[in-house]
Amino acid sequence: MGLAGLIGCGGGSTTSDTAAASYRISGSVVGLTTGGLVLSNAGSTIGVAAGADRFAFDTSFTGSYRVTVLAQPDGQTCSVRSPGGSGGADVTAMQVVCRGYAAYVAHEDSQTLAQFSVAEDGSLTAMAAPTLALTYQPAGLVLRGDGAFAWLRYSNHRQVTALAADAVSGALSLVGHAPSYSAGYGLVLHPELDVLYSADYGGAALSQFSLDSRGLPVALTVPRLATEINPKAVVVSPDGAWVFVANASSESVSQYSVGSSGALAIPTLPTVASVSLAAYGSGPSALAVDPTGSRLFVLLEGSHRLLQYGIGNSGLSYERRVATGSQPVALVVTPDGAHAFVANRGDNSLTMFTLAGGAVTSLGPLATCSTPTALAVSPDGRHLYVACAGDDTVQRYAIASDGLLTAAGSVASGGQGPSAIAVR
């Protein structure tokens, strides 16, 4: 097998005054079967070819290092074992481990987390340890981009749970728990920093945590900021610059700026810190930002609508609204930003949308399972997964290039009352 090829370089140092402290980074690669993997450290990037069993940066570094996955390979998830250190000597024992996708389904009624392996065709198979027992009712679930960690929060308890994923199988195991300000639903991870944000539904607050090396949340120096009433959903822009919160009872969206450490601040004028939704409907239940970071989508459960806002330096600007089905509760945008899907629990349907030309446009409804409650799109954008609380199933749909869905199978969800689903 060959070494990874260099895509771009920069950020290292080989000058004479630092040569004594410079070092190189290399390691092994396990399980990589497809192309597209890109690793990064201190501004240097390397692409790793399908089938490679070694990688090596051809730039020397000084100081500390932290190797990350900048781009995942097609249809796989890779994580870096022992990714960081103080440097000073050549690093040769680092390991990058790649696997197929894994899917996880949280269940409120049975207080369990089910876990599945995802085949190349998108079908789900229960893992050897198919479920993890939980103590409380999980309502929010988020995964790190490299699939190495997952976090849960609960609708009936003030706690955030951290779990670590096996690098080969994706199977989760408990790391520990951290207290949260109140019970709640919304949970999101900053795309570049080890910072987690939690919408505290009963506490009218947005909590913020750093993450230690085990993935365990640790409250920041300022542990929380005020929101409006009943913050239900939270999302962060792809560039990590903004965090938005949907306040279910205030009929509003709050906006926060993100500092270099991940700590939040209420923005100053001319940016408006909160936008009222009352003129367009009620019951904001879900949020999503398109991959360009230029548009925010707000789902209104009480008014059966999807709102589109532009994101700018002065805050949010209303652009348009479109109809959904009855009682829309879940929203997801495809990784390429071309399409969006909404789950409507009131009439057991999905609504398909195109985002072409910068405007959300309905492609129409599609009948689905009983009481769809949560959605996830595979990282490659090929499949949509729908968790259904009415019949305890997960439905799978193939996503066509035009955004239309085709049913591709279903499995038992692995518990009762599925409330959240994630695939990585």
Side-chain angles (χ1 to χ4, degrees):
M1 300 290 184
L3 285 175
L6 180 68
I7 288 180
C9 62
S13 175
T14 57
T15 58
S16 59
D17 60 340
T18 59
S22 68
Y23 60 92
R24 292 181 177 272
I25 298 175
S26 63
S28 61
V29 181
V30 177
L32 180 62
T33 60
T34 62
L37 174 63
V38 180
L39 303 177
S40 176
N41 181 68
S44 292
T45 59
I46 53 169
V48 186
D53 58 11
R54 296 286 300 175
F55 74 90
F57 288 88
D58 65 358
T59 301
S60 295
F61 301 97
T62 58
S64 61
Y65 64 91
R66 180 177 173 82
V67 175
T68 61
V69 177
L70 184 64
Q72 293 286 355
D74 299 332
Q76 290 191 285
T77 293
C78 300
S79 59
V80 184
R81 292 184 174 180
S82 302
S86 57
D90 286 351
V91 178
T92 60
M94 189 177 293
Q95 187 177 59
V96 177
V97 181
C98 304
R99 59 168 173 81
Y101 295 150
Y104 309 95
V105 184
H107 298 85
E108 278 195 289
D109 293 349
S110 57
Q111 298 182 174
T112 56
L113 180 67
Q115 39 191 10
F116 300 86
S117 299
V118 182
E120 290 187 10
D121 66 356
S123 59
L124 304 182
T125 302
M127 291 186 184
T131 59
L132 299 177
L134 305 171
T135 306
Y136 305 103
Q137 295 177 326
L141 169 64
V142 65
L143 305 178
R144 201 168 78 172
D146 64 0
F149 294 99
W151 295 270
L152 287 165
R153 69 162 320 170
Y154 304 91
S155 62
N156 66 339
H157 190 66
R158 297 182 295 178
Q159 182 172 280
V160 176
T161 295
L163 305 110
D166 180 83
V168 176
S169 69
L172 296 172
S173 59
L174 176 67
V175 172
H177 310 285
S180 61
Y181 187 55
S182 80
Y185 305 89
L187 192 65
V188 70
L189 182 69
H190 192 282
E192 299 175 356
L193 305 172
D194 288 332
V195 179
L196 191 70
Y197 306 106
S198 170
D200 298 310
Y201 187 81
L206 180 63
S207 292
Q208 46 187 1
F209 304 89
S210 63
L211 300 169
D212 69 15
S213 61
R214 302 173 299 155
L216 193 65
V218 179
L220 294 185
T221 303
V222 178
R224 69 191 67 88
L225 282 77
T227 65
E228 297 187 3
I229 303 172
N230 295 140
K232 187 170 186 180
V234 57
V235 68
V236 60
S237 60
D239 63 1
W242 301 104
V243 167
F244 303 96
V245 176
N247 303 296
S249 296
S250 297
E251 320 292 3
S252 66
V253 172
S254 298
Q255 181 174 355
Y256 303 86
S257 59
V258 183
S260 59
S261 67
L264 300 177
I266 297 174
T268 57
L269 293 175
T271 302
V272 178
S274 183
V275 173
S276 174
L277 308 174
Y280 309 111
S282 63
S285 56
L287 299 172
V289 178
D290 80 317
T292 69
S294 62
R295 291 172 290 176
L296 174 72
F297 301 99
V298 184
L299 201 57
L300 299 181
E301 181 179 359
S303 301
H304 324 304
R305 288 175 177 168
L306 179 63
L307 307 183
Q308 176 180 315
Y309 284 83
I311 301 174
N313 292 332
S314 297
L316 299 174
S317 57
Y318 171 78
E319 293 182 345
R320 62 186 289 134
R321 61 183 181 267
V322 292
T324 65
S326 175
Q327 293 182 274
V329 293
L331 165 66
V332 67
V333 174
T334 56
D336 62 2
H339 305 100
F341 305 100
V342 167
N344 308 292
R345 69 174 182 175
D347 58 11
N348 300 328
S349 73
L350 304 172
T351 310
M352 302 168 287
F353 297 93
T354 177
L355 306 181
V360 57
T361 304
S362 177
L363 297 174
L366 179 70
T368 189
C369 53
S370 175
T371 319
T373 54
L375 300 174
V377 172
S378 59
D380 60 11
R382 294 174 53 203
H383 294 94
L384 174 72
Y385 298 90
V386 185
C388 309
D391 56 14
D392 298 327
T393 64
V394 175
Q395 306 291 320
R396 175 169 56 97
Y397 294 87
I399 303 173
S401 59
D402 59 5
L404 296 178
L405 299 173
T406 302
S410 67
V411 296
S413 67
Q416 291 77 52
S419 53
I421 184 170
V423 179
R424 180 70 263 182

